[in-house]
Amino acid sequence: QVQLVESGGGSVQAGGSLRLSCASYGYTYNIDCMGWFRQAPGKEREGVATIDSLGTTTYADSVKGRFTISKDAAKNTLHLQMNSLKPEDTATYSCAATWRTCGNGMDYWGKGTLVTISS
């Protein structure tokens, strides 16, 4: 089992920055892909960014150039640096992980952290 715990959410004004973190615990040795997802009120969950064991990253078009996903393997921690934030980035952001390759679904999920961007 793998447990994921997010932190770093909060409220900022548009144009500001936030850095989310996701600490992973348990049997993390076989995790191949990790990612960030978000769900805004009344909307479906959407993928934000993923990173695999080789460091290959993918981003949703809506966040390209503004968000950066990274991981600290030594600390089993995933990060999401979010810059130039917009009100439409407001959502609950969740960390996820899987032993499968990216793009084939996620098996483990955190509870999420709320990000609120005011105009």
Side-chain angles (χ1 to χ4, degrees):
Q1 271 288 20
V2 174
Q3 294 81 44
L4 304 172
V5 180
E6 303 95 338
S7 61
S11 299
V12 297
Q13 290 189 328
S17 298
L18 280 174
R19 188 182 193 222
L20 305 183
S21 296
C22 172
S24 55
Y25 306 92
Y27 293 101
T28 61
Y29 66 94
N30 62 343
I31 293 298
D32 186 78
C33 178
M34 297 190 73
W36 289 97
F37 294 75
R38 68 185 181 185
Q39 187 167 20
K43 295 187 177 181
E44 292 187 354
R45 183 171 62 196
E46 64 172 345
V48 175
T50 63
I51 186 168
D52 68 12
S53 58
L54 297 179
T56 303
T57 58
T58 66
Y59 295 93
D61 287 343
S62 58
V63 306
K64 281 181 181 177
R66 300 189 297 123
F67 291 11
T68 303
I69 189 171
S70 63
K71 61 181 178 179
D72 184 335
K75 296 181 179 180
N76 285 335
T77 302
L78 183 73
H79 300 289
L80 185 69
Q81 178 66 41
M82 306 187 294
N83 298 328
S84 302
L85 285 161
K86 305 175 181 179
E88 51 263 44
D89 293 319
T90 294
T92 295
Y93 286 71
S94 298
C95 169
T98 181
W99 52 269
R100 294 172 282 180
T101 55
C102 289
N104 291 291
M106 294 292 185
D107 297 294
Y108 307 103
W109 293 85
K111 293 183 178 181
T113 185
L114 180 62
V115 171
T116 303
I117 312 301
S118 58
S119 57

